[in-house]
Amino acid sequence: MTFSVQQIKFECLSYIKEFGAKTEEWAIGMADDAEQALFSVCGIDSRDDIWLWKPTLSPAAARTVVDFMVARHRLHPVAGFEAGQQGRCIFMYRMRR
């Protein structure tokens, strides 16, 4: 199942609000394999960390979500997943303090 840009933006913001964090405490990126990016590349613990990933309709849709969340809500772009990175899934996680 894929989600629209608006659905994903809403879900990302709802998730941040649910966990009571400031948007600056989150990182966001895009990849074709979001699970691999989260758990292998970024080192997120699937049980202890707070994370989310969603498939989009296209890499352009994923880029729109990432750009919006970084520019408008000050999420950190995940190193290696910023400009030029392709993928149709977005992933987001709360950074460790």
Side-chain angles (χ1 to χ4, degrees):
M1 177 183 224
T2 56
F3 299 89
S4 74
V5 167
Q6 289 303 94
Q7 287 172 312
I8 294 172
K9 287 179 188 178
F10 179 80
E11 188 152 349
C12 288
L13 292 170
S14 296
Y15 207 70
I16 291 167
K17 185 177 179 180
E18 177 181 342
F19 289 99
K22 296 177 183 174
T23 56
E24 299 90 1
E25 297 174 357
W26 290 78
I28 191 166
M30 57 190 289
D32 279 324
D33 187 344
E35 289 181 336
Q36 194 264 345
L38 277 167
F39 308 125
S40 296
V41 177
C42 297
I44 299 303
D45 185 308
S46 64
R47 292 171 290 167
D48 293 331
D49 290 321
I50 302 170
W51 54 272
L52 169 77
W53 74 268
K54 292 290 177 189
T56 66
L57 298 171
S58 68
R63 171 58 54 205
T64 300
V65 172
V66 170
D67 289 348
F68 173 81
M69 296 301 288
V70 169
R72 178 80 185 257
H73 295 286
R74 300 182 307 279
L75 274 72
H76 297 271
V78 175
F81 293 93
E82 56 273 314
Q85 180 67 26
Q86 294 294 310
R88 59 178 237 29
C89 295
I90 66 101
F91 62 93
M92 182 178 84
Y93 61 89
R94 187 172 180 180
M95 297 181 298
R96 294 181 187 117
R97 296 175 193 198

